[in-house]
Structure formats: structure tokens, C-alpha cells
Amino acid sequence: MSQTEISTGSVSLGGLQFSYREAGTGPLVLCLHGFPDTAHSFDELLPVLAQAGYRAVAPFMRGYHPSGVPADGDYAITTLAGDALALIDALGEKDAVLIGHDWGGFAAYTAANLAPEKVRKLVVIAVPHMGATRQSFAQLRRSWYVWLFQLPWLPERLVKRGDYAFIDRLYRSWSPNWDEAEFRLDPVKAALAAPGGLRAALGYYRRMIRGASRDVYDALSKTTSVPALWFVGEADGSIGPEVFVDTAQACSGSFELVSLPGVGHFVHREAPQVFQQKVMAFLSEAEPAQ
């Protein structure tokens, strides 16, 4: 177990406060979490990156306590990507490696699409590239929660009930082979229970459907040019492996898809050794000449 300490910090971006967890010094690696999760999702990865000579930073995404809740309720993918790019600047760097899981994965590759000069390399976990997504009836059924979250007030009541038992059920469904003792959901539930936290988390999904716009779709669908490493868990109950089959077609730079049998949605936590080994090998590869 690494003895590298994780510190905390915060920065203001456009009047919205972002808190983050950090370890190490060196080139910046920004780790972006998804739902239902927090920056603590990367507590195992940050020290590994730090010991390898990187400055590893995991922000709490907008709306996730202790980061601020935006007054305008803007959770568009392009806004999330803009947060990542602004964080690079605010942390005093000109570029970074982006590692993103779930919503953080969408934000990471969208940031790379919008400003490839600021993203050295890209790691995406458990979400497809919308420019080459193979849909299926099975995937529509897996996405039942996306449609549930579009309803007003009812999802808040359902998710909150029984000490957020809904979140426990999602983890069991999305990662059916993972030991429940490893879930460690206290930070997640605390973030959702903070003022405005649950509405913010559901706001990501509501903005995706209700606020869909051409610029967001274009940014999501644009071909990704930076070197990319993609992870999919074959036992993911949220997004099935068939959705990722064509991902390479949306990436014009070096690309690898790592598909892990028996692993669910939280790849970086369920299979930390293989995940970390693949990521560190990817980061150590020589970057292409500009």
C-alpha cells in the first residue's frame, strides 16, 4: 500500500468553487469521476501516479460536495469539458493527461476534442465515444435509470429513500462480480446528501436529454485525435461491451481498447492492478512528435 499522502485543495473557476484531491509533483494528470461517485474514486490511483513522477489531481465535479453547485444548473458535457480545461490553467499547467470515468470520461474526451493541444493523452473508462456508438435493444434496457432520472421530484425521493439504498442497488447491478465490502459508498452518499447535491447529480442526466443541443452533440461526436486508451468491463450492467465495438473508428490517433472479462462498471477500482499497469505503460510511451 502506498504511503504517498493525498492532500486537498480548491480553486475558483468563473465564481464556482472546485475542491480536489492531489498527490505528487510533475506533469499534470487530471482524474475526473462519474456518477454515482466522487474524487475519492481515484484514491488508489493518485499515489501510484505520484510515485511515477506525476502530479495527480482528482477534482470533485461541479455539483458534487465539497465543490460548488452552479446556480444556473448547467451540466452540459461541453461545460464539464470546459471545467477540465479551465482546471489545467488554474493549476498552473499548459496541458495534462486526462483520465475520466463515466461522466468524467465523457468530459475528458470532449475536452480533448475541443482543445487537443491541451490534452497530452487520454484514458476513458466505461463510457463509449458518441461518434462511434453501436446501440442495441439490450443497451436501451440497461439505460432505464437515465429515463427515470428525467422525471421531476420522484427520482430524488426514490434515490434518497433508506439511506440512499438506490445507490447500493446500482453498484450491485453495474458491478455484479465486485465484493460489496469494496464499494465504500459513504463519501458518495455524503456528497448526494449535501445541500443541492442529489439534484445536481441527477442534473447531469436531465441536461443530457432535455438540454441536448447541436454544439454538444458535435463536440461529443467529433473524431478524437490525441492518443487514447479505452477501458470496458465486459460485466458492466450499465453500458454493455457491444456498445464499444466501433470505438476505434472515432479515434484518429494511437488507440487501444482494453476489454476486461468479469469486470463491471468501476473498472479502475474493481481491477486496479491491471488498470494501473495498462495506464502506467500507456503514459510511459513516447508521445508522438508535434
Side-chain angles (χ1 to χ4, degrees):
M1 186 70 177
S2 169
Q3 298 302 309
T4 303
E5 289 189 9
I6 296 176
S7 60
T8 59
S10 65
V11 65
S12 180
L13 301 179
L16 187 65
Q17 196 75 9
F18 282 81
S19 296
Y20 57 84
R21 297 174 65 73
E22 178 178 18
T25 58
L28 179 62
V29 180
L30 202 58
C31 304
L32 309 174
H33 72 82
F35 170 89
D37 220 335
T38 71
H40 289 280
S41 182
F42 295 102
D43 279 358
E44 290 178 79
L45 181 61
L46 297 186
V48 173
L49 290 167
Q51 290 183 343
Y54 294 96
R55 180 188 183 189
V57 175
F60 292 82
M61 302 285 276
R62 60 170 50 216
Y64 282 82
H65 183 80
S67 287
V69 176
D72 61 4
D74 184 4
Y75 301 104
I77 290 293
T78 45
T79 301
L80 305 181
D83 289 342
L85 296 172
L87 276 166
I88 294 172
D89 293 333
L91 293 169
E93 305 293 340
K94 64 181 179 66
D95 56 25
V97 171
L98 296 187
I99 298 177
H101 172 247
D102 193 84
W103 282 106
F106 285 126
Y109 87 73
T110 302
N113 290 352
L114 294 173
E117 73 281 0
K118 296 181 72 69
V119 180
R120 296 194 308 277
K121 292 186 177 183
L122 173 69
V123 178
V124 178
I125 312 163
V127 291
H129 194 300
M130 297 306 290
T133 300
R134 184 177 293 191
Q135 288 295 349
S136 66
F137 180 70
Q139 183 53 48
L140 288 174
R141 291 198 305 170
R142 293 189 197 97
S143 299
W144 62 269
Y145 60 94
V146 175
W147 313 116
L148 170 66
F149 291 165
Q150 303 309 309
L151 299 174
W153 65 262
L154 179 61
E156 279 86 344
R157 293 187 63 177
L158 290 175
V159 174
K160 194 180 298 185
R161 184 179 298 167
D163 186 29
Y164 295 88
F166 187 96
I167 303 301
D168 296 84
R169 289 197 296 272
L170 279 187
Y171 267 64
R172 288 194 294 267
S173 173
W174 291 1
S175 295
N177 301 321
W178 194 19
D179 184 351
E180 290 186 36
E182 298 297 322
F183 289 179
R184 299 195 294 273
L185 294 180
D186 286 349
V188 178
K189 294 180 179 182
L192 296 177
L198 178 54
R199 177 169 293 183
L202 299 183
Y204 282 57
Y205 291 92
R206 289 165 174 162
R207 183 67 171 79
M208 176 177 66
I209 301 297
R210 300 178 192 174
S213 62
R214 188 70 202 182
D215 66 310
V216 173
Y217 175 79
D218 287 346
L220 275 167
S221 302
K222 183 179 179 182
T223 298
T224 298
S225 61
V226 305
L229 177 63
W230 233 270
F231 286 90
V232 55
E234 293 182 12
D236 191 337
S238 171
I239 302 177
E242 75 278 2
V243 176
F244 295 80
V245 170
D246 298 325
T247 306
Q249 297 178 17
C251 297
S252 61
S254 65
F255 172 83
E256 182 182 1
L257 177 67
V258 179
S259 187
L260 300 178
V263 177
H265 189 64
F266 300 88
V267 174
H268 57 304
R269 295 191 57 214
E270 292 178 63
Q273 289 187 328
V274 65
F275 173 78
Q276 292 167 14
Q277 289 171 357
K278 293 294 293 187
V279 168
M280 299 316 300
F282 175 60
L283 296 188
S284 67
E285 293 172 0
E287 297 183 22
Q290 299 296 315

